[in-house]
Amino acid sequence: MVLGKWSKISIILVFLISWIVPTTGWASEALESGTFTMKVSSPIPNKGDTIEVIITGHEMKDVYAFEINMAYDPTRLTFIDAKSDVPGFSVPAIVKQTHIQLAHTKVGQGKGLEGEQTLYKLHFKVIQNGKIELTLNSVRVLDANLVSTTKLMDTRTTLNIHGPYTFDDLDAFDWAIDAIEALAVKGIVNGTGERQFSPDSAVTRADYVVLLMRALGLKGTVGESFEDIDAGVYYAEPVAIARELGLVQGDEGNQFHPQASITREDMMVLTDRALRVSKQLKMDGNESDLADFEDVSSISAYAVNSVATLVKLGLVHGYANGIHPKETTNRAQAAVLIYNILAYLK
């Protein structure tokens, strides 16, 4: 009897450890037994959370051993463990790229599982924001007579992973998160979509004027309009007021080029002018304040004093030993400068 018992277990263990990813070629040798579902503890987890995934069998008939195959996104979830409360023996989980395979068998004489039973509980660490799907691909079962059945399926559960912040796309911009979040709470900056800030997107000349006017609360009368700004656009009035205040100027053709991306040096020039118009800045910087930067010669003559002033005040720090005056300003950089300005004004 003992030899027969272990012979049966050995056969089952061979069944349990003989899979190869992906498992799509099994032949069904018996009627399918029951249905199988997947439930997630939180469909909207936050980055850093641990979630539990429960796989349950329903209306099962004599399920003595079972093998579960599922898929996940390892760029957003880290697999921690998988445990079964069913009495018996579990094969250690096999995790290969996006696939997870689990297997468990009862031990001893008697029939297999009947009715409804939780088969496995899996745990994952949430490591990245975004929308992902967990997929239950298949469940293979073995009855007490060693007859196997394969249940192929495509059961999907969607997770919307949120970070602890207003926006979910700031992971690569940790140096700007505090600034962006603080300005968003105050309504100074807005997102570009649902929980999206698009920090690496370029800032247009018109949008930076709007941002600057809003942050500093600058008011005034509407001045002469530019030829390339239509009266009905959202930035028409702020740009016209900025022109009347002396913040912006057009070219020889009375063009402002509102949709052109603003350069870093022009962002600093407009900021310097705005602080002076609002009478919140009286000191002047000069080229000696830029001695730590290697690309001072690249700064346009009209921008040198403005750049130097903002550096002297600690509002601009540059990066990689340079000011990079001709580079396009992105939304994250603009937000940090505005944040620094408000902190300085306090």
Side-chain angles (χ1 to χ4, degrees), residues 184-310:
V185 169
K186 295 179 179 180
I188 294 174
V189 299
N190 301 310
T192 57
E194 184 177 359
R195 298 186 63 85
Q196 298 294 301
F197 185 72
S198 303
D200 201 30
S201 295
V203 178
T204 66
R205 289 166 53 82
D207 281 346
Y208 189 70
V209 170
V210 172
L211 179 61
L212 197 57
M213 300 284 284
R214 183 187 300 157
L216 295 180
L218 294 176
K219 308 292 183 181
T221 58
V222 177
E224 180 186 356
S225 61
F226 292 104
E227 293 292 334
D228 56 352
I229 295 182
D230 295 331
V233 297
Y234 66 91
Y235 52 78
E237 183 173 316
V239 171
I241 292 174
R243 185 176 193 178
E244 184 68 16
L245 292 173
L247 303 186
V248 299
Q249 301 169 356
D251 61 18
E252 60 276 5
N254 194 30
Q255 305 278 313
F256 181 66
H257 309 285
Q259 293 305 305
S261 298
I262 193 169
T263 61
R264 287 172 53 80
E265 65 179 6
D266 281 352
M267 173 182 68
M268 297 179 213
V269 168
L270 292 183
T271 302
D272 179 47
R273 290 175 182 170
L275 288 172
R276 294 183 189 281
V277 165
S278 62
K279 304 188 184 304
Q280 315 237 26
L281 178 62
K282 296 181 179 179
M283 72 167 60
D284 290 302
N286 56 57
E287 195 166 335
S288 65
D289 296 307
L290 304 175
D292 293 336
F293 303 104
E294 299 174 353
D295 58 354
V296 176
S297 61
S298 299
I299 303 174
S300 300
Y302 69 84
V304 170
N305 288 343
S306 293
V307 174
T309 299
L310 297 191

Side-chain angles (χ1 to χ4, degrees), residues 313-324:
L313 289 174
L315 302 181
V316 172
H317 304 285
Y319 63 92
N321 299 319
I323 288 293
H324 310 282

Side-chain angles (χ1 to χ4, degrees), residues 84-149:
S84 178
D85 294 331
V86 176
F89 175 81
S90 291
V91 174
I94 291 182
V95 181
K96 186 177 294 186
Q97 296 178 341
T98 62
H99 291 82
I100 299 175
Q101 295 179 310
L102 311 167
H104 185 87
T105 179
K106 292 185 67 177
V107 177
Q109 301 297 320
K111 296 187 66 175
L113 301 173
E114 300 282 343
E116 182 171 319
Q117 174 76 47
T118 297
L119 302 181
Y120 261 101
K121 294 178 180 178
L122 299 85
H123 298 96
F124 296 88
K125 180 80 171 182
V126 181
I127 59 173
Q128 185 60 279
N129 304 323
K131 180 180 289 187
I132 63 170
E133 287 185 331
L134 290 170
T135 306
L136 182 59
N137 293 322
S138 64
V139 178
R140 185 182 184 189
V141 299
L142 196 72
D143 66 19
N145 295 317
L146 306 185
V147 177
S148 68
T149 304

